[in-house]
Each structure stands twice: as C-alpha cells, then as structure tokens.
C-alpha cells in the first residue's frame, strides 16, 4: 500500500536529518497537475505540481508502463495520480524524483488550455485570473501573500494586540480620503428609501473605529479590505485593497515609529525564512535587486528626519524636480525617492508635516504649524507606511475639524473618546498590496491581488 | 526608576515559577483606566484595567498620598498612571496588589460618562458601541473574537493552507444567496454610468473564487467579510458578517467532514486554553452551560447521519413540530435541534440532502436525487457549518445551472475549472459570528460584532 504524500511532504522528508528513514515509505502516492510532459519512445518526464509547494517534482515513467502512449499524451494542466518509488538523486538538480509504477488520470485537460508551457505576458495572464494561479509567478505571489498575512497576525498577536474587525459598510464620510463607493439594496433603491436609514458607503479606513478599541484594549490592529472609488488607472491603485491599521494607546510618535520598524522587519524576515524558493524565483525572474534590497533593509538603521529637514535637503539638491520644492508642499514620489535613495540611502521616517497637508485627526505640535505624523519611505518604492500620533485633546480636535470643514454630527462618538479617559495614542496604516509589491518586486498591483478590481474591470 | 509593566505582564510574573524574582522589579509603573474607585478617610482602592488583560489589578492608595482627595474623586473611566510596589497577596482573592506611591491623571472622565459601575442592559450598551468595549462583557467578547480569529489562521496555516483574499466587490449574482447590496460611485451614478462597467454588488460568499485557488494550491481558505441585504431583524442575522470558507482539492465529502471536525475542535480547544478567564466569566455571567457544552463537544464523536435517516427520526418523533415533516423539505431549526439534542445528543453531520433544496454547485449523488452536502449541527445552536463536495463534472454542473436558471455568462471561468484539470474537491462555510456566539454563549449577533450593521442601523 503506497503512502500518500504531498509534494511538500516529500521535500520535508528529503531534507530531514536522516533521509534513510525513507526506507519504510519509499512507495508513495502523489496527486497533482502536469506542468510539463516530455517523452521519447523509451522514457518520459512529467513535472508535477500539487500546489503544496512552489517546487515541482519530476516523475519519470518508462515505456514498460501500462498506457505509456496515453500518459505521453497528457497535456499541461492535466490532473493525475501517481504511484511510484521515491528515489534520492543527489547528483541531479532536483534532490529526488519519482519512478512511476502507475499513473492515473484524475482530470483531463485538452490542448485548448490557455496556460501553455511558453512564457505568457502578465497582461495576458490577467485575462485568465482563475488559471494564472497555476503559473510559477502567481503561485509564488499568492503563496507569499498568504505567508505575509500570517506574519502580520503573528507579529501583533505575539505581543497581545487585539485583532478588531472594523466595519466595511460605514455612514461616515468624514474620513476625507477621496471618493467613496455607495452601498444600497436594490429593493430599497426602488422605493427611494435607504436600507440603513441613511447614506451608506464602503470604508476607506478602519482607523477611527480602531481608536475606540485602542482606548479600551491599549494595543489593537485591523486587517481588512478598504475601498477607493477613484477613476484612475495606475499600476499602484486598485478600487479594493487590504490595509493593516494598528492603533496603540499610551503611545506617542516615537512609540509608533518603533512599532512600524519592528513590524516591517519582522514580516520581511518571516518571508525570507519561510518563502526561500519563492524569493529566489522573484530575484531571478522578476527583480534582480529584491533580495539585496530586503537584506539591506534588515541591516539598516531606520533614520528619522523631520519634514522641514527633508525640504532643506531637497532645496539644496543638485537635481531638477518636476515639482518645485517649497515648505508646505505635499512631497511627490520623486522627492520621497530622492530623500530615501540619495540622501539617506536606506529607510527613513519623515516626521512633523505641515498641518494643512495632513488629516484632521493628527496631533498638533507645539509649533502650531506641524502635526505629529510619520511616513516611512523605503528605497525602491517610496512611501510604504503612513502614521501619526492622534489628537487626544478635545478642544484641539474640534478646532481641526472646523478647519477641515468636518461635521461633528455622526462623529460625536469619536469626540467622546477624548471626553472620557482619552489618552495619548498613535497608529498607522500599511497598504498590504504595496508591502507585497515591495517584498516580491512585482510592479503592478493587479498582479498581487487574486481577482483585482479597477475601473471598468469586474470580470470574475 | 520604576519598571513599566502592563497588567498582563504583572499576572505573568506572578504566575511564573519563582515569583520571588520579583525582588528586582517591585517598584512598577502601570497605566490604565479606572473601573471602580472606592475610599474612606484613610484608604482607597482602585480597580485598574489597562486592556492587556481581562482582569483588573487592585491599586491601594493611602491617605499619606499627595493629592489623596483628588485621587478619591477620579470617576470610573478616568485614565491614570500609577507608580507603586507590587505586593504579592496570596491570602486575598487577587494574587497581588499595587501599593501606590503616586497616581497621575492621564485623561479625565467626568460623571457624565455613560458607562457606570452598575449593570447596564445589552440594549443600552449597543447604543454606546464605542464605549461598551470597556465593560467586562465586551472586553471578554472581543478578546475571544481576536483569539478565535488567530486560532483559525493557525489551524489552516499549520497545515499549509493558502489564505486567499477573495473579492468583496463582485459582478456575480449567480451565487443565489438572497438579496445583495449594490455598489456604485456617486459620480458615475450621476452620469447613469457604471464605475465597473456593469452592475457591482457586495459578495455573499468567496467560495467560487476559492475553488479556483484550490484547483491550483490544493488546500486554501478565505476569512473575510460577507454581506446580505435581507430586511430582517433577528438575533442571528446581520447585514455584514465574517465567514471562513476553506476549499480542498482531491477531496470528497468525508475529507470535508474530517476537516470541519478538526477545525472546530482545534478552535474550541484554543479558546479554552488561551481565554480561561474570559470563558469563566461567560460561564458565570452569560450562560451557565457554556463550558460544559464546549468540553462535551471536545469529547464527542461527531456522528454522521444522512438527511433521509434524519427525516425518518423526525417522522417517528413523539413531538409536535410547527413545520410538518416530509422527505424533500428544508429542515427548520426545530428539526435540527431535535436531531442533535434529542436523537444524537451531540454534534452530528447531516449529509446527502435533496438536490432541490441545496445550491447548484453541489455534487449530484449516484441516486440522482441527493447531493453530497454536509451540515454540522451542534446542541444549543443548531447549524454551525454548511459544506459540500463540489460538482466537478462539467456536464452535470451545466445541467444543474440550467435547472437553477443560472446564466453561464459571467461564470465561464467557473466552468473552466472543470474543463482544465478539474478534480474532485470540497469545501465549507463557517459563519464566524455564529461560531463566536456558540463559544461565548452570547445570544445576539449585535453583541459579538464590534460595530454591527443591521437594517436601519448605521451609527458609528
């Protein structure tokens, strides 16, 4: 009776201290999909992938096999079941192979299969999002996406942070982060009524709700989908994406930056340890700088520099920027990249931005001109994280809301958090896809989301 | 210099093997919120909670304290900073207390604070969802919610499952799970145009997309928000809730039921181990049967019974049901509870339901009358999980879609999964809130969601 094993289990056994223990389980049973199948009149080789590992396993079948010709005809994409001997092959590229005793068809796949052995463009693969996950690149991307999600949960839960599911449907427009999607039920729309009794939209941030939880649990985080109805087609924006938004009480901007640095390095290290084959693939095939970039990040000191200092560097710079530099301006990608790539040559927190260009909830500094914000810039991508200490003083917060023309109605609960035992607190937002692009080197957000949503694009 | 510690860290140190090691860190610094404050002319006691633990720590302050009268006046809800000696009190109910040397105000809270020491009704607390998290009950609920989320991720990731973020905005209406919410951007609605080029709605299930991933990665799971626009007000339905939807390839209905059983018992055990104080609270204050129920679940065999057998039991039953029993009917809660509470007296999987009352994607059994579905029923709540083996045969699936009047257009990609290396596969859906209610004994879904969304209810 052959032992059922996944491809991952085969690799685990092979890399164990004593692979000779294999003796007892040499005859094994594998299931998976044919990636490639080549043969001549005597012998054939199937690269089999079962989804449990980024790596394939080579299955060798000989002319003596029953149905040799049938097996020869199996196309890429065919699902098969293999029984064979696991043979260690230290002299070969792959550490072992399966010498097949029988191969059974599990699911046929004819030659109209849109995913062939040849290399396809990412544009083409986006059109077959349900099948592209069977390719090397997307197998690696979505494996790393899953691991990175787990890294984030582990990082926070290990430190006792409470995971909070902030609402997706919200009645607050006050967050002021551009256009939102409206939500309504058909039957209510027909009656010109509102399902929720008022306008409802999809959340652009869970921060305000997370603050309520931080002021009860001290340390909390969200990790969920957020939405922007911006009608722009870029490689970095999607209508639906996931964000991580931690919020910590009894904490100031420095505590916030320490947390960001710890989280980013924990996650990068987690991926380097747990996705070695995927990361080697990205470095070989997608972006030859990616491993170097990540290793250097781990070794780097995260520099802290004020916005005002950054402006001074930019004014002194011997570079012609598209957007002219002056204090008070919003930094453009070209400025951010100059600061982290040329001036600092490593990760840098910019802090204390002019209050006019940041959100109403950020804490006003004593200079009355800047707020306690911090953006993390990293070489290669620019802004990765945006955070701030929150305004915990009721009167300051009310002034800021007036300045930004934000209605108090609907946000009385948010003001309550300052009325009743409010303390200093801080938090940040990390765009999950941006982080994933940084780690993998993938250049288009559509290629790191399972089924991407962008303007005029809602297939699947 | 006092050592900063959280309340949780204090409890950890106290319960360590050698609490005498405390010697070096006796003078400690705590931050938190006053839960209660009582005093006389000589001595005062503050129950302090800092959110890191379900438990409070007692802070004792004496008349000799500077500002004794001021500290006496601190209301429930006030945020303070305490420096004091950690004193082990083995003779008392609480294992230690803090003998205060100084108490500083961090955030004031006046007597208008809506959360007073007295017991409030859950109805009242729902009106102050931003503050109720500071009460014992909701501290326990959202702590367990966070832990249960982590248990789910750990369970699947430990076995190599890939976490997939299936889309929230979808163009598929085909899933046929009742009314959906429509999604549109304001500026497009004004132009009578569609942001996505067609009707868009909020997902009711990630299953179909998860199937595409399972047929690449073998074992996958989703964990994300789902939506129903049903205009019904019950204690068990919300417009927005979270679901876990695993999908496993090369797997049949038995594999599916094994996975459900493993997951449920793993998660229940995780909570019993990691939330002992919270669970004791639920058992004492919310539902006196909850611990017994969970322990019995862990010891139970999960019985497997066909729908047809269940109908026979119901027909023989010496009970008058509100809904009369006949083969082919959809089971009501009263029937489900009779089966698991009276007939089996434990958890039971009902399998092989009539094809007419189940979804189009379930695999038709050889009898041509039933499909390979499995619902897990548990005493106390009834249905906890619903799952099935999926129809992997293209021609059968197409017939089922015709029978259910489901358009192929827009689902060609789903059919592709059967055309190209399709294999047997199965999966299930677990309503996260329902599971949380089962574990905590909480009776209303509004009380296990941070900020609940129900018809006509969109505060916060």
């Amino acid at each position: 009776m052959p032992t059922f094993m996944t491809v991952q289990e085969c690799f685990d056994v092979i890399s164990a201290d004593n692979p000779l223990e294999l003796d007892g389980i040499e005859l094994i049973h594998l299931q998976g999909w044919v990636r490639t199948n080549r043969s001549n009149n005597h012998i054939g080789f199937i690269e089999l992938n079962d989804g449990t590992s980024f790596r394939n396993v080579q299955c060798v079948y000989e002319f003596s096999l029953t149905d040799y010709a049938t097996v020869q005809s199996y196309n890429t994409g065919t699902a098969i079941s293999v029984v064979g001997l696991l043979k260690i092959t230290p002299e070969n590229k792959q550490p072992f192979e399966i010498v097949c005793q029988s191969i059974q068809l599990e699911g046929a796949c004819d030659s109209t299969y849109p995913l062939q052995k040849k290399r396809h463009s990412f544009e083409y693969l986006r059109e077959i999002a349900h099948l592209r996950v069977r390719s090397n690149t997307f197998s690696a991307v979505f494996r790393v996406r899953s691991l990175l999600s787990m890294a984030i949960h582990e990082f926070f839960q290990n430190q006792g942070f409470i995971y909070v599911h902030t609402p997706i449907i919200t009645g607050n427009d006050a967050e002021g982060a551009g256009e939102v999607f409206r939500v309504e039920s058909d039957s209510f729309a027909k009656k010109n009524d509102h399902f929720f009794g008022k306008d409802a939209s999809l959340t652009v941030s869970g921060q305000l709700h997370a603050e309520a939880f931080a002021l009860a649990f001290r340390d909390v985080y969200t990790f969920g989908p957020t939405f922007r109805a911006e009608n722009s087609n870029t490689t970095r924006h999607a209508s639906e994406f996931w964000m991580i938004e931690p919020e910590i009480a009894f904490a100031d901007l420095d505590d916030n930056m320490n947390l960001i640095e710890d989280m980013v390095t924990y996650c990068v290290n987690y991926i380097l340890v747990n996705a070695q084959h995927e990361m080697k693939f990205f470095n070989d095939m997608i972006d030859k700088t990616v491993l170097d970039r990540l290793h250097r990040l781990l070794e780097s000191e995260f520099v802290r520099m004020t916005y005002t200092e950054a402006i001074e560097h930019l004014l002194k710079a011997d570079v012609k920027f598209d957007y002219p530099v002056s204090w008070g301006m919003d930094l453009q990608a070209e400025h951010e990249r100059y600061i982290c790539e040329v001036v600092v040559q490593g990760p840098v927190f910019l802090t204390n931005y002019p209050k006019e260009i940041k959100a109403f909830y950020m804490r006003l500094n004593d200079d009355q001109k800047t707020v306690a914000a911090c953006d993390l810039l990293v070489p290669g991508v620019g802004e990765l994280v945006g955070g701030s200490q929150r305004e915990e003083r009721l009167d300051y917060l009310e002034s800021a809301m007036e300045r930004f023309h934000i209605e108090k109605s609907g946000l009385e609960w948010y003001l309550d958090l300052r009325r009743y035992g409010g303390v200093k607190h801080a938090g940040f937002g990390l765009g999950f896809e941006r982080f994933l692009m940084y780690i993998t080197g993938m250049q288009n957000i559509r290629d790191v989301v399972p089924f991407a949503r962008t303007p005029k694009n809602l297939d699947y």
Side-chain angles (χ1 to χ4, degrees), chain A:
Chain A
M1 180 74 177
T3 308
F4 176 76
M5 288 176 80
T6 65
V7 171
Q8 184 58 47
E9 285 166 348
C10 293
F11 278 106
D12 288 346
V13 166
I14 288 295
S15 60
D17 284 347
N18 182 9
L20 292 181
E21 283 178 19
L22 271 175
D23 273 5
I25 52 161
E26 267 185 322
L27 191 63
I28 65 164
H29 173 202
L30 285 172
Q31 300 164 320
W33 291 274
V34 173
R35 282 286 175 89
T36 64
N37 184 8
R38 63 202 162 82
S39 61
N40 58 28
N41 289 336
H42 309 289
I43 192 163
F45 301 91
I46 287 173
E47 290 286 326
L48 189 75
N49 187 289
D50 74 349
T52 65
S53 172
F54 176 67
R55 288 169 289 181
N56 303 326
V57 52
Q58 174 161 284
C59 300
V60 185
Y61 58 100
E62 292 176 9
F63 185 71
S64 55
L65 193 81
T66 323
D67 302 325
Y68 183 78
T70 310
V71 172
Q72 274 186 305
S73 74
Y74 290 159
N75 290 302
T76 297
T78 304
I80 58 172
S81 189
V82 172
V83 170
L85 289 169
L86 194 158
K87 186 177 152 203
I88 299 178
T89 53
E91 69 284 359
N92 292 2
K93 211 178 74 180
Q94 54 276 72
F96 69 96
E97 62 185 23
I98 308 297
V99 182
C100 299
Q101 293 188 351
S102 72
I103 297 179
Q104 269 211 308
L105 181 67
E106 294 284 341
C109 189
D110 66 24
S111 59
T112 65
Y113 189 49
L115 206 66
Q116 291 302 321
K117 197 194 161 183
K118 67 168 185 151
R119 209 146 166 198
H120 299 290
S121 74
F122 288 157
E123 290 75 13
Y124 171 77
L125 291 169
R126 268 173 227 142
E127 312 270 298
I128 49 165
H130 59 306
L131 300 175
R132 69 173 178 174
V133 278
R134 306 175 182 188
S135 69
N136 282 332
T137 301
F138 292 95
S139 170
V141 165
F142 294 116
R143 223 172 263 293
V144 170
R145 186 174 172 114
S146 175
L147 288 167
L148 187 60
S149 301
M150 191 59 182
I152 286 159
H153 283 297
E154 267 194 24
F155 172 77
F156 288 114
Q157 298 256 345
N158 286 348
Q159 297 174 79
F161 279 60
I162 298 294
Y163 178 31
V164 48
H165 292 125
T166 49
I168 309 300
I169 300 175
T170 166
N172 285 330
D173 288 335
E175 294 143 15
E179 279 213 71
V180 298
F181 288 108
R182 294 288 174 196
V183 175
E184 192 52 85
S185 96
D186 268 352
S187 49
F188 278 76
K190 274 179 209 139
K191 293 182 288 179
N192 254 321
D193 191 9
H194 288 309
F195 183 91
F196 290 109
K198 55 160 145 173
D199 279 341
S201 54
L202 293 182
T203 185
V204 296
S205 161
Q207 178 202 316
L208 304 192
H209 297 94
E211 284 186 55
F213 268 60
L215 291 168
F217 290 112
R218 188 180 177 106
D219 297 331
V220 306
Y221 70 108
T222 72
F223 184 11
T226 50
F227 306 84
R228 298 282 154 84
E230 271 157 50
N231 190 20
S232 64
N233 265 297
T234 80
T235 57
R236 289 161 67 85
H237 294 91
S239 308
E240 174 179 326
F241 55 100
W242 284 61
M243 287 238 285
I244 297 102
E245 296 181 283
E247 197 71 30
I248 49 179
F250 297 103
D252 63 16
L253 196 64
D254 280 325
D255 299 318
N256 206 26
M257 288 189 280
N258 293 339
L259 183 66
I260 294 169
E261 184 171 341
D262 287 350
M263 188 205 64
V264 168
T265 53
Y266 181 94
C267 290
V268 166
N269 189 61
Y270 187 98
I271 296 302
L272 289 175
V273 169
N274 290 290
Q276 292 179 23
H277 300 282
E278 291 85 349
M279 289 309 303
K280 182 176 182 315
F281 172 84
F282 289 125
N283 203 64
D284 290 347
M285 306 299 286
I286 302 294
D287 175 352
K288 300 214 181 305
T289 69
V290 73
L291 279 178
D292 183 53
R293 170 150 44 94
L294 297 180
H295 284 295
R296 275 202 285 158
L297 182 86
L298 293 185
E299 291 152 14
S300 295
E301 184 200 359
F302 282 49
V303 172
R304 298 176 187 194
M305 179 191 291
T306 65
Y307 168 90
T308 303
E309 288 167 338
I311 291 288
E312 284 162 14
H313 282 293
L314 293 169
L315 288 171
K316 282 190 304 201
D318 193 17
V319 178
K320 176 121 185 64
F321 294 114
D322 292 339
Y323 291 81
V325 174
S326 66
W327 198 97
M329 75 181 298
D330 216 349
L331 299 183
Q332 302 297 316
E334 57 176 344
H335 308 128
E336 293 177 340
R337 295 190 61 160
Y338 179 82
I339 295 292
C340 64
E341 289 169 12
V342 179
V343 179
V344 176
Q345 297 178 28
V348 53
F349 286 108
L350 292 195
T351 63
N352 301 325
Y353 284 74
K355 65 182 177 190
E356 288 79 11
I357 60 171
K358 287 289 183 182
F360 75 94
Y361 49 71
M362 297 189 180
R363 191 180 195 278
L364 191 64
N365 287 323
D366 290 344
D367 63 14
Q368 307 291 319
K369 290 193 315 193
T370 62
V371 288
C374 63
D375 285 358
L376 173 62
L377 315 180
V378 291
V381 304
E383 187 190 326
L384 190 61
V385 180
S388 73
Q389 188 170 342
R390 315 310 188 184
E391 186 57 80
E392 86 280 14
R393 296 161 300 186
L394 182 60
D395 48 346
Y396 281 80
L397 183 59
E398 287 177 326
S399 304
M401 286 171 72
E402 266 172 44
R403 218 167 58 237
F404 281 90
H405 306 294
I406 289 169
E407 293 283 337
K408 274 196 209 176
S409 72
L411 282 181
E412 281 298 336
W413 67 269
Y414 186 68
L415 296 170
D416 273 357
L417 303 177
R418 280 69 186 168
R419 287 190 185 105
Y420 302 121
V423 296
K424 65 176 177 175
H425 62 289
F428 63 89
L430 169 71
F432 182 63
E433 281 78 9
R434 189 162 292 185
F435 196 20
L436 191 55
M437 288 163 75
Y438 174 72
I439 286 176
T440 59
M442 297 294 289
Q443 291 296 311
N444 194 316
I445 193 167
R446 292 165 183 78
D447 295 330
V448 298
V449 175
F451 299 91
R453 270 60 176 118
T454 51
K456 301 289 173 201
N457 173 26
L458 189 64
D459 300 330
Y460 305 99

